[in-house]
Amino acid sequence: MLSERQETILQIVRENSPITGQHIADRLHVTRAALRSDLAILTMLGLIDARPKLGYFFTGNKEKDLLSRVITDIRVSTCLSQPVIVGEHTSAYDAIIAMFTEDVGTVFVGNENMLLGVVSRKDLLKTAMGNNDLQSLPVRMVMTPVSKLIYVEGDDKALFAAQRMIEYEIDCLPVVRVLPSTEGKKKDLQIIGRISKTNITRLFVDCGMGRRA
Amino acid sequence: MLSERQETILQIVRENSPITGQHIADRLHVTRAALRSDLAILTMLGLIDARPKLGYFFTGNKEKDLLSRVITDIRVSTCLSQPVIVGEHTSAYDAIIAMFTEDVGTVFVGNENMLLGVVSRKDLLKTAMGNNDLQSLPVRMVMTPVSKLIYVEGDDKALFAAQRMIEYEIDCLPVVRVLPSTEGKKKDLQIIGRISKTNITRLFVDCGMGRRA
């Protein structure tokens, strides 16, 4: 995206920070005026920075940083979905029904004020394969309990949520508010939403369509 | 991201294209030289364009277009995964086993040279719930047949694939090469990979980390 001269200026600044505009011009055998636009562009892109009396500094930013800033600014709270919650005494069968009725791939177990676990389509398919009586099997027997859960908070970056989903190979994370526990040591997780690879895919489309810039 | 003066210049150009640099300077009560950097930045960002003897035009681009260009440049062929394929005579049971063994949410039915259908975790969970004998039920009885399939080609944009997944509520699409059919009217779809919401989530992370710019 940068012109050849802008690249050259960037390299000069990188190797000689701080350097005055006059010194850059001397190296390129041009006038200072001729450099004004290029220096303004490099400064605006955040690639170099000017300090009075000292000259130009290399910021260490890369051009691509500018492009990723749109993505890194997005918070989970701005792109989450409504959670689907079933009680802890629900059967595995009814959890699957909830999954189909609400058309989600992941169901939370507990209530709005306390997340107890998470159950996914994959967990339930495995359970269904195991010749279990789904109607009498409580969903809490097949859920991932809260002690082993990966979750995010509304203030976390969507990028962080996406990284966790990739790292832990999970399709959907609970979005919670962490509360001081009502009964001693443990913390309570209040469910405020869910964020899935579907939400991230939608964000990707939004960013690609320029709707998030 | 633009300064107040750059926004003002952009508005003047938008409302008066084509307009010379001198006329813009007159409206702002500044010298042409004072505008040079701002005009260079707006031109570099593709927001305005200069034509000799005529002056500056408004391009109709928006600032955010620049930011989305990184995303819109990504092609499916650069971010797909290996397909998992089972033969059409495979049982639903063995398709589920393949799904767990390969740790994927979607399995293709057919062979490398001909895609016959697609079966998802959701399809198989529904089948498992239906009291079917999974071992004797052929996977082709529960797959989405090729006539109703949504697919993409390697040359398609990843953004297009993501849009289709959102629009049709599908987690994973086959990536195919469309071949002239071997038997008359129909076209054959040669399987070259798969692209899922996981791949898009990974792309989102890559773009956010500046690894795709």
Side-chain angles (χ1 to χ4, degrees):
Chain A
M1 198 166 77
L2 296 181
S3 70
E4 204 173 318
R5 186 153 84 176
Q6 288 160 0
E7 292 283 4
T8 307
I9 295 170
L10 191 59
Q11 198 180 335
I12 291 172
V13 175
R14 183 163 36 211
E15 290 166 3
N16 303 279
S17 301
I19 182 170
T20 63
Q22 188 58 56
H23 279 114
I24 300 171
D26 291 347
R27 281 170 178 256
L28 292 171
H29 310 291
V30 297
T31 65
R32 268 205 71 172
L35 283 188
R36 201 170 290 145
S37 310
D38 290 325
L39 288 170
I41 286 170
L42 293 171
T43 305
M44 192 211 60
L45 288 174
L47 302 175
I48 64 174
D49 199 7
R51 289 193 209 157
K53 294 186 188 164
L54 277 172
Y56 290 94
F57 281 86
F58 181 59
T59 59
N61 294 336
K62 301 205 179 79
E63 195 190 345
K64 58 192 180 185
D65 292 346
L66 175 81
L67 304 171
S68 63
R69 213 170 302 158
V70 170
I71 286 178
T72 52
D73 278 352
I74 303 170
R75 303 228 176 233
V76 167
S77 56
T78 68
C79 59
L80 47 72
S81 291
Q82 286 297 310
V84 176
I85 308 173
V86 297
E88 59 176 318
H89 301 300
T90 306
S91 68
Y93 184 90
D94 285 337
I96 298 175
I97 297 300
M99 200 167 265
F100 278 105
T101 310
E102 305 284 341
D103 200 20
V104 292
T106 301
V107 166
F108 302 150
V109 182
N111 58 59
E112 276 186 19
N113 290 316
M114 201 181 312
L115 176 65
L116 297 174
V118 169
V119 68
S120 71
R121 213 177 263 154
K122 190 173 167 183
D123 297 327
L124 291 169
L125 182 57
K126 203 181 285 175
T127 306
M129 287 285 282
N131 288 318
N132 295 292
D133 176 3
L134 298 176
Q135 308 240 21
S136 67
L137 186 69
V139 70
R140 64 185 152 73
M141 302 296 286
V142 298
M143 72 185 188
T144 301
V146 80
S147 59
K148 295 182 185 170
L149 270 190
I150 309 297
Y151 59 82
V152 290
E153 299 183 59
D155 250 8
D156 285 330
K157 304 291 181 85
L159 181 62
F160 174 70
Q163 285 169 319
R164 302 211 103 183
M165 285 190 261
I166 294 298
E167 185 182 349
Y168 293 97
E169 299 182 7
I170 304 171
D171 288 333
C172 178
L173 301 176
V175 183
V176 302
R177 192 175 291 125
V178 181
L179 299 177
S181 175
T182 44
E183 34 173 319
K185 280 177 195 163
K186 291 182 312 171
K187 58 197 171 187
D188 282 351
L189 302 179
Q190 192 177 33
I191 306 172
I192 60 174
R194 66 190 168 87
I195 183 164
S196 67
K197 287 175 181 168
T198 301
N199 297 100
I200 302 295
T201 300
R202 208 172 278 132
L203 277 184
F204 180 84
V205 171
D206 284 349
C207 292
M209 303 289 285
R211 291 194 293 244
R212 276 274 175 173
Chain B
M1 199 166 79
L2 296 182
S3 70
E4 204 173 319
R5 185 153 86 177
Q6 288 160 0
E7 291 283 4
T8 308
I9 295 171
L10 191 58
Q11 196 180 337
I12 291 171
V13 175
R14 183 165 34 212
E15 290 165 3
N16 303 278
S17 301
I19 181 169
T20 63
Q22 188 57 56
H23 279 114
I24 300 172
D26 291 347
R27 281 171 176 257
L28 292 171
H29 310 290
V30 297
T31 64
R32 269 206 69 175
L35 284 188
R36 201 171 289 144
S37 311
D38 290 325
L39 289 170
I41 286 171
L42 292 171
T43 305
M44 192 210 62
L45 289 174
L47 302 176
I48 64 174
D49 199 8
R51 288 193 210 156
K53 294 186 189 161
L54 276 172
Y56 291 94
F57 282 85
F58 182 60
T59 59
N61 294 336
K62 301 203 178 81
E63 194 190 345
K64 57 194 180 184
D65 293 346
L66 176 81
L67 303 171
S68 63
R69 213 171 301 157
V70 170
I71 287 178
T72 52
D73 278 353
I74 304 169
R75 302 221 178 240
V76 167
S77 55
T78 68
C79 59
L80 46 72
S81 291
Q82 286 297 312
V84 176
I85 308 173
V86 297
E88 59 176 317
H89 301 299
T90 306
S91 69
Y93 183 90
D94 285 338
I96 298 175
I97 298 300
M99 202 166 263
F100 279 105
T101 311
E102 305 284 342
D103 200 21
V104 292
T106 301
V107 166
F108 302 149
V109 183
N111 58 59
E112 275 186 19
N113 290 316
M114 200 181 312
L115 176 64
L116 298 172
V118 169
V119 68
S120 71
R121 212 177 265 155
K122 190 174 168 181
D123 297 328
L124 290 170
L125 182 57
K126 203 181 286 175
T127 307
M129 288 285 282
N131 287 318
N132 295 292
D133 177 3
L134 298 174
Q135 308 240 21
S136 67
L137 186 70
V139 70
R140 64 185 152 74
M141 302 296 286
V142 298
M143 73 185 187
T144 301
V146 80
S147 59
K148 295 181 183 170
L149 269 191
I150 308 298
Y151 59 83
V152 291
E153 299 184 59
D155 249 8
D156 285 330
K157 304 291 180 84
L159 180 62
F160 175 70
Q163 285 170 318
R164 303 211 102 182
M165 285 190 261
I166 294 298
E167 185 182 349
Y168 294 97
E169 299 181 8
I170 304 172
D171 288 332
C172 178
L173 302 176
V175 182
V176 302
R177 192 175 292 122
V178 181
L179 299 177
S181 175
T182 44
E183 35 174 319
K185 280 177 195 166
K186 292 182 311 171
K187 57 198 172 187
D188 282 351
L189 303 179
Q190 193 176 33
I191 305 173
I192 59 174
R194 66 190 168 87
I195 183 165
S196 68
K197 287 175 181 170
T198 300
N199 297 101
I200 301 295
T201 299
R202 208 172 278 133
L203 276 185
F204 180 82
V205 170
D206 285 349
C207 292
M209 304 289 284
R211 290 194 294 244
R212 277 274 173 173

